[in-house]
């Protein structure tokens, strides 16, 4: 049995598609996300995860023009603000919002997440990223982005401070004795007096522990430093790979690192980012995929865009028929490495015309379910993070097509195990 999550990156979803409805304007209000969350809950998803980045990109084409013309990566809401509205109208599904350890002060984040833990009745989590680009840094008063290794050193101290704040109230600090006239016991609420390399915070937190106490911690960075951070602190890791062999390698690596940090590998659920091309017949799905793969111009544009996003460099400027640029980046190291790897002697065109870098399954719902089963049996793993447009047609293909087919094969949950997100994530 494996877990499912949904990765929501573009909020202004496929606004030119035939099935996007009013997605171009509707995305600013909660109803679209509420519909999506209801569908995913019916399907038994563990979580809906919101990507985030706090900048308007301008690397590809050396200008924000492409991004704003296409509503690509911007604009978007702060995901934390969407969660209460969606939580009110769902019961079981968990929500993960991306939070940057580089720019969110630990006290603000600890408090915000604890408040959200109450408001969602124990269904919130945070995806910890270090912010991989200079534009975000410039939005927060820096001239340059902090070095990659320092960002992860900061991230480690950040989660340590946040964890101390979450623990600043002992479990029995709340007395709730109206007759005796005592709300809380001050002797059980402690300062943390943290003075570290990057942060200092006195504490205690000025709100009471939430239903989960520690909201679910998710992690996304794939470099050695990123993986180590995930193995130490995460309850769930989201990862991007191309093949089942890479899934297996990733999982073994995280298990090894988790053991080094004194954790059980089974305490960390690794979900691999996946997309689907669904149709009524395998033949038609194959035709759709063949057409997508044959659209070299679109693939090249998509990949150059992704390379520019990960490195902050303008990949539209490199010669497509020249060698793959030899780049060291301070940005998203792991993603850059994966996108730029290729056969010796490959040109930029050779690697850029490949399909997008992630697992992709295609066919009828049942044949997709069979492929996912096969993939898991080869690679092992805890589940998949579905990345797709949140137009309601595609969400229905997954929630009412693929999920029931997976359930019929006994591969996904048929109900929720416990009241909290953590209970469900760690149930198996
Ligand atoms: C599935 C997935 C989701 C991610 N989501 C975000 C995100 O929401 N915000 C962000 O700034 N980075 C996100 N990243 C990028 C990572 O934070 C990280 O920069 C990247 O994977 C490179 O890893 P590294 O930082 O360890 O070099 C995501 C990465 C993956 C694989």
């Amino acid at each position: 049995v494996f877990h499912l999550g949904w990765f929501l990156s573009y909020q202004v979803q496929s606004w030119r598609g035939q099935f996007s409805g009013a997605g171009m304007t509707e995305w600013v209000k909660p109803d679209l996300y509420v519909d999506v969350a209801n569908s995913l809950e019916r399907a038994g998803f563990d979580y809906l995860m919101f990507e985030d980045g706090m900048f308007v990109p301008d690397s590809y084409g050396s200008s924000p023009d492409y991004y704003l013309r296409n509503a690509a990566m911007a604009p978007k809401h702060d995901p934390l603000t969407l969660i209460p509205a969606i939580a009110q109208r769902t019961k079981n599904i968990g929500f993960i919002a991306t939070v940057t350890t580089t720019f969110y002060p630990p006290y603000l984040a600890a408090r915000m997440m604890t408040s959200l833990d109450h408001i969602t009745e124990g269904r919130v989590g945070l995806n910890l990223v270090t912010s991989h680009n200079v534009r975000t840094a410039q939005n927060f008063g820096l001239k340059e982005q902090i070095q990659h290794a320092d960002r992860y050193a900061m991230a480690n101290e950040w989660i340590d401070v946040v964890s101390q704040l979450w623990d600043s109230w002992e479990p029995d600090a709340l007395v709730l004795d109206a007759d005796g006239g005592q709300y809380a016991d001050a002797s059980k609420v402690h300062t943390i007096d943290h003075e570290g390399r990057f942060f200092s915070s006195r504490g205690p937190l000025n709100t009471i522990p939430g239903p989960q106490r520690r909201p679910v911690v998710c992690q996304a960075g794939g470099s050695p430093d990123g993986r180590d951070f995930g193995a130490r602190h995460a309850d769930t890791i989201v990862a991007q790979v191309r093949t089942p062999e890479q899934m297996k390698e990733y999982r073994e690596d995280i298990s090894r690192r988790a053991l080094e940090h004194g954790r059980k590998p089974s305490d960390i659920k690794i979900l691999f980012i996946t997309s689907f091309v669904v149709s009524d017949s395998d033949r038609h799905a194959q035709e759709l995929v063949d057409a997508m793969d044959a659209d070299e111009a679109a693939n090249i544009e998509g990949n150059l865009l992704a390379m520019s996003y990960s490195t902050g460099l303008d990949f539209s400027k490199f010669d497509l028929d020249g060698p793959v640029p030899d780049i060291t980046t301070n940005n998203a190291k792991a993603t850059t490495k994966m996108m730029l790897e290729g056969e010796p002697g490959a040109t930029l065109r050779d690697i850029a015309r490949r399909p997008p870098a992630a697992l992709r399954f295609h066919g009828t719902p049942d044949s997709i379910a069979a492929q996912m089963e096969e993939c898991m049996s080869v690679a092992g793993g805890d589940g998949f993070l579905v990345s797709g447009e949140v137009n309601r047609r595609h969400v229905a293909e997954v929630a009412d097509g693929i999920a029931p087919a997976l359930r019929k094969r006994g591969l996904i949950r048929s109900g929720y195990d416990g009241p909290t997100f953590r209970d469900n994530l760690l149930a198996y």
Side-chain angles (χ1 to χ4, degrees), residues 2 13 38 96 114-115 128 144 181 197-198 223 294 382 404 421:
F2 52 73
Q13 290 286 328
N38 278 313
I96 295 180
T114 295
S115 294
L128 297 181
E144 291 297 331
R197 177 172 164 211
F198 301 101
S223 63
D382 306 300
F421 179 10

Side-chain angles (χ1 to χ4, degrees), residues 7 49 51-52 98 127 129 131-132 148 152 220-223 226 238-240 273 331-335 385:
F7 183 56
M49 170 188 171
E51 179 271 353
D52 196 33
T98 296
N127 171 39
V129 299
S131 289
H132 46 60
H148 189 271
Y152 277 105
S223 63
V238 292
Q240 186 177 7
I273 197 156
N331 286 32
K333 284 189 190 281
T335 320
L385 182 71

Side-chain angles (χ1 to χ4, degrees), residues 12-142:
V12 190
Q13 290 286 328
S14 69
W15 45 275
R16 284 175 295 191
Q18 293 187 71
F19 296 91
S20 312
M24 190 177 197
T25 49
E26 190 189 11
W27 72 273
V28 292
K29 298 196 186 158
D31 280 5
L32 172 65
Y33 313 102
V34 171
D35 278 2
V36 170
N38 278 313
S39 298
L40 298 181
E41 195 165 73
R42 180 167 73 246
F45 272 60
D46 280 57
Y47 59 81
L48 171 59
M49 170 188 171
F50 290 90
E51 179 271 353
D52 196 33
M54 293 193 275
F55 69 116
V56 175
D58 61 357
S59 47
Y60 183 70
S62 302
S63 145
D65 181 67
Y66 180 94
Y67 301 91
L68 296 181
R69 184 180 295 278
N70 295 288
M73 305 313 285
K76 63 179 76 168
H77 281 309
D78 181 333
L80 289 163
T81 62
L82 291 170
I83 289 175
I86 312 170
Q88 285 289 307
R89 290 156 70 186
T90 51
K91 281 198 196 66
N92 298 113
I93 191 166
F95 307 102
I96 295 180
T98 296
V99 168
T100 168
T101 56
T102 308
F103 299 110
Y104 229 107
Y107 193 93
L108 273 182
R111 182 174 187 232
M112 172 76 80
M113 296 315 296
T114 295
S115 294
L116 284 173
D117 200 29
H118 287 289
I119 290 165
T120 60
E121 298 188 67
R123 290 188 287 137
V124 79
L126 63 175
N127 171 39
L128 297 181
V129 299
T130 66
S131 289
H132 46 60
N133 60 85
V134 67
R135 291 290 178 253
T136 305
Q138 290 167 342
N139 286 338
F140 288 87
L142 302 184

Side-chain angles (χ1 to χ4, degrees), residues 328-347:
T328 47
T329 182
N330 181 42
N331 286 32
K333 284 189 190 281
T335 320
T336 303
K337 181 164 173 273
M338 185 173 82
M339 278 184 313
L340 295 183
E341 73 199 352
E343 301 294 317
T347 62

Side-chain angles (χ1 to χ4, degrees), residues 200-281:
S200 48
S201 182
R202 181 176 185 274
L205 207 59
N206 62 341
T207 189
I208 61 172
Q212 298 180 107
R213 243 188 120 78
R214 180 182 173 85
V216 167
V217 174
C218 173
Q219 185 273 344
S223 63
D225 284 345
R227 290 182 184 203
D228 210 57
F229 177 71
R232 275 175 78 171
H233 304 292
D235 303 299
T236 181
I237 290 177
V238 292
Q240 186 177 7
V241 296
R242 284 181 195 274
T243 64
E245 292 68 36
Q246 290 171 346
M247 281 170 75
K248 198 165 171 341
E249 183 278 326
Y250 207 109
R251 195 154 180 270
E252 286 171 358
D253 184 58
I254 296 293
S255 297
R256 184 180 56 75
R257 292 173 191 270
L259 289 168
E260 275 172 21
H261 292 295
R263 299 186 68 203
K264 288 206 302 280
S266 61
D267 288 347
I268 308 173
K269 307 303 171 190
I270 308 176
L271 271 57
F272 292 96
I273 197 156
T274 304
S275 65
F276 301 124
V277 178
V278 195
S279 188
D280 301 346
S281 73

